Amino acid sequence: MAEKDIGAAAVGAITEDMSLFGKALMFTVLPETIVIFGLVISILCIFVM
């Protein structure tokens, strides 16, 4: 749910100023990495414990 708001804001910022592409990309990728870390931890909990 957070990604759609961040993505919309990032696209709006990039259309106004292309130099914000790097910052927008980082803010878009950050929530996705949290999801991947949660998936890895859950898989470890299932198979290790």
Side-chain angles (χ1 to χ4, degrees), residues 1-44:
M1 292 184 58
E3 280 187 70
K4 68 177 178 113
D5 295 332
I6 294 171
V11 169
I14 291 171
T15 56
E16 291 181 10
D17 187 7
M18 190 61 182
S19 67
L20 295 174
F21 179 75
K23 288 182 183 179
L25 185 64
M26 289 304 297
F27 283 125
T28 306
V29 173
L30 190 63
E32 189 66 31
T33 58
I34 294 170
V35 171
I36 292 171
F37 288 148
L39 178 67
V40 169
I41 290 171
S42 65
I43 289 173
L44 285 174

